[in-house]
Amino acid sequence: MDSLVRQSYRDWELVVVDQNPDARLKPILDAYVGCVGPIYHLRAERGLSRARNVGLGHIAGDIVGFPDDDCWYPPDLLERVVGFFELEQGTAGLCGRASDEHGRSVMGRWAPSAGPIGLSNVWYTGVSFTIFLRTEAVSAVGPFDERLGVGSGTCWGSGEETDYLIRAIKLGFKLWYDPTIAVYHPEPFEYLPLSQLARRSYRYARGMGFVIGKNAYPLWRAARLVARPLGGVAVYCALGRFRKAGISLATFAGRFLGWADGVMQGR
């Protein structure tokens, strides 16, 4: 909320989808009334994709972003996003990079240079809170797959935003990635204990594998995406970095099982 108050671009609305069991958000949001654009406080059943689908039913703007509860925006971010869409009338989506406030990439591996987003690089060019889409693309793609994402109640704990981008690409929408569009986010690898991080990595990887299988990636491309963490296991073991080797192994297991799930029941 503080980072929204500091935005140089002011013509926006905020849709908050609340899944808390109590009213803890109300005093926080009330404190910002009049300081930011219109705030719409909604409620939804548990699940990230369910929450996004509820929120999408209440948007009125031309561009939609998906900030989460622990990211924050540089002061000029929305101004840059709006400027991009004004210049690139034929582009339906812009994705940026997850970064800490010092400019270092977080939340995984990112493509180093700007360019179009396709089925081969979509995995390295967008995460939910760095995605901005024109509302006409959102209307065409439809709702998020509620089987995917945190709180879904399934074993597929991520991948809903990548699945959404893949569906947009398949419909013919042009998407662009720019790593200089950075959204700040803490790096979970730095503060989670190994057991919790391994479980999280497994759930997230199983979601990614499900999306690969669901979207019928060619076997050679699916194998490359699924097996990539095995290289990390070998390298990290050789370097004596067994914590990261364990995470890579959990990631491989999750991707493989998720891919099998997606092939069998994803479509």
Side-chain angles (χ1 to χ4, degrees), residues 143-265:
F144 284 84
D145 187 337
E146 295 185 357
R147 296 173 296 180
L148 298 169
V150 175
S152 63
T154 73
C155 57
W156 309 307
S158 74
E160 73 287 344
E161 72 269 50
T162 308
D163 177 64
Y164 206 82
L165 294 177
I166 291 171
R167 289 157 58 195
I169 292 167
K170 288 183 173 181
L171 288 173
F173 288 105
K174 179 181 177 182
L175 309 178
W176 187 262
Y177 166 73
D178 183 351
T180 71
I181 300 290
V183 177
Y184 301 143
H185 196 285
E187 173 57 87
F189 195 88
E190 294 180 353
Y191 63 83
L192 291 177
L194 179 58
S195 59
Q196 186 176 347
L197 187 57
R199 289 194 299 271
R200 172 177 171 156
S201 297
Y202 173 81
R203 291 195 308 270
Y204 280 29
R206 194 154 182 176
M208 175 180 175
F210 185 89
V211 173
I212 295 169
K214 168 189 174 181
N215 287 285
Y217 269 64
L219 187 58
W220 64 270
R221 181 172 286 171
R224 184 176 180 180
L225 290 167
V226 169
R228 183 179 179 84
L230 288 177
V233 174
V235 170
Y236 290 134
C237 283
L239 295 174
R241 301 174 69 178
F242 299 112
R243 173 183 169 91
K244 285 197 170 185
I247 300 305
S248 293
L249 185 60
T251 300
F252 165 72
R255 287 188 189 180
F256 178 77
L257 292 175
W259 169 78
D261 294 338
V263 170
M264 294 298 294
Q265 57 180 302

Side-chain angles (χ1 to χ4, degrees), residues 16-20 22-31 41-43:
V16 177
V17 186
D18 185 351
Q19 296 177 312
N20 290 297
D22 52 32
R24 70 185 69 185
L25 289 191
K26 188 177 187 304
I28 298 173
L29 297 178
D30 286 348
H41 187 183
L42 311 175
R43 288 194 169 272

Side-chain angles (χ1 to χ4, degrees), residues 44-91:
E45 295 181 12
R46 181 176 174 84
L48 182 53
S49 291
R50 296 186 188 97
R52 291 201 180 117
N53 288 340
V54 169
L56 289 178
H58 292 79
I59 57 175
D62 299 320
I63 303 167
V64 186
F66 304 94
D68 62 21
D69 55 3
D70 58 349
C71 78
W72 66 105
Y73 288 168
D76 65 344
L77 181 82
L78 293 182
E79 183 177 7
R80 293 187 63 195
V81 169
V82 170
F84 171 86
F85 282 108
E86 288 177 345
L87 287 173
E88 301 293 336
Q89 293 293 323
T91 302

Side-chain angles (χ1 to χ4, degrees), residues 126-147:
V127 67
S128 57
F129 54 86
T130 72
I131 296 171
F132 298 89
L133 298 170
R134 295 189 190 271
T135 51
E136 55 261 38
V138 170
S139 296
V141 175
F144 284 84
D145 187 337
E146 295 185 357
R147 296 173 296 180

